[in-house]
Amino acid sequence: EAGVTQFPSHSVIEKGQTVTLRCDPISGHDNLYWYRRVMGKEIKFLLHFVKESKQDESGMPNNRFLAERTGGTYSTLKVQPAELEDSGVYFCASSNRVAGGGYTFGSGTRLTVV
Amino acid sequence: QKEVEQNSGPLSVPEGAIASLNCTYSDRVSQSFFWYRQYSGKSPELIMSIYSNGDKEDGRFTAQLNKASQYVSLLIRDSQPSDSATYLCAVNSPPSFGAGTTVTVRA
């Protein structure tokens, strides 16, 4: 079984530019989550998709962040325009259950905004 | 108050010793508790989940949960150099994470 795949693994962009991160969950996993870890801080929840619907987006920091999951398969997270404080590692996770664990994480995308 | 707090590291233990990791959480109605291991530059990997008060053992790992004290711990027995990693405590579904404790096992 292929794991959760994230692309790109690293991205360096200038302040004000746009970046799009992609996550391919494990096939058949309806639940997809985005998390972010900024330097020295804990991994923070951003949002949760169930299939193509946003179940919980309470962790999205502001309207510069837009997540989509058209068709309920892969998801994208766009940051536009990027700010310095957006730098960090963005993790995606998927699960075939809503509760009780079973979360598999991708290797993350390290975003650096300069 | 942070939602999930872990004992500050880093934690250095000799090979063969017991590594003890602690975690407290603020949400009294939490029902799901997890320990993840993260090697440098890699994704978090689930190593233990616990849902009921008491101990849960899996190989060299033991998770302990005390809901009254809002406390969950992880013991690593017979620590090996390959256990050197950051250990993340997570609570609830979807999980809320602590900042992690970095463990180094000295050969």
Side-chain angles (χ1 to χ4, degrees):
Chain A
E1 177 184 70
V4 177
T5 305
Q6 293 189 243
F7 181 83
S9 57
H10 294 81
S11 181
V12 180
I13 62 170
E14 293 184 351
K15 176 183 174 181
Q17 289 187 320
T18 297
V19 63
T20 300
L21 314 180
R22 173 170 170 147
C23 169
D24 286 75
I26 292 173
S27 178
H29 281 195
D30 288 341
N31 298 283
L32 186 150
Y33 309 85
W34 283 99
Y35 283 83
R36 176 175 74 169
R37 185 170 198 166
V38 297
M39 183 69 72
K41 302 289 186 181
E42 63 271 21
I43 298 173
K44 282 286 195 183
F45 168 81
L46 296 179
L47 89 160
H48 169 204
F49 282 101
V50 177
K51 296 184 180 180
E52 67 275 9
S53 299
K54 292 177 184 175
Q55 181 76 12
D56 180 355
E57 53 184 330
S58 60
M60 294 288 266
N62 52 61
N63 59 10
R64 295 185 294 103
F65 290 76
L66 175 64
E68 294 180 321
R69 193 183 182 196
T70 306
T73 54
Y74 71 90
S75 174
T76 58
L77 180 64
K78 180 190 290 187
V79 185
Q80 178 182 31
E83 299 289 345
L84 299 179
E85 64 266 24
D86 300 332
S87 296
V89 181
Y90 290 77
F91 289 103
C92 175
S94 74
S95 171
N96 57 5
R97 296 178 268 173
V98 175
Y103 306 95
T104 302
F105 281 79
S107 298
T109 294
R110 181 173 295 278
L111 174 65
T112 304
V113 183
V114 297
Chain B
Q1 181 188 15
K2 289 185 177 180
E3 192 170 342
V4 182
E5 296 205 52
Q6 296 185 236
N7 53 323
S8 60
L11 178 65
S12 180
V13 298
E15 185 173 358
I18 295 175
S20 178
L21 305 171
N22 302 317
C23 174
T24 58
Y25 58 93
S26 61
D27 185 357
R28 286 193 166 274
V29 299
S30 298
Q31 297 295 321
S32 308
F33 307 87
F34 310 97
W35 283 99
Y36 284 81
R37 177 177 62 199
Q38 187 178 24
Y39 293 112
S40 181
K42 302 295 185 182
S43 57
E45 173 194 9
L46 180 68
I47 55 172
M48 289 286 284
S49 57
I50 186 167
Y51 307 100
S52 304
N53 281 330
D55 295 359
K56 179 181 179 182
E57 186 175 317
D58 184 358
R60 295 185 294 109
F61 297 98
T62 299
Q64 299 173 315
L65 174 62
N66 184 325
K67 291 185 179 180
S69 300
Q70 295 175 238
Y71 172 92
V72 58
S73 66
L74 180 71
L75 299 177
I76 307 173
R77 292 184 304 281
D78 187 23
S79 296
Q80 302 297 308
S82 59
D83 295 327
S84 298
T86 296
Y87 289 81
L88 302 165
C89 174
V91 175
N92 284 331
S93 297
S96 296
F97 287 88
T101 301
T102 299
V103 173
T104 301
V105 180
R106 310 186 304 271

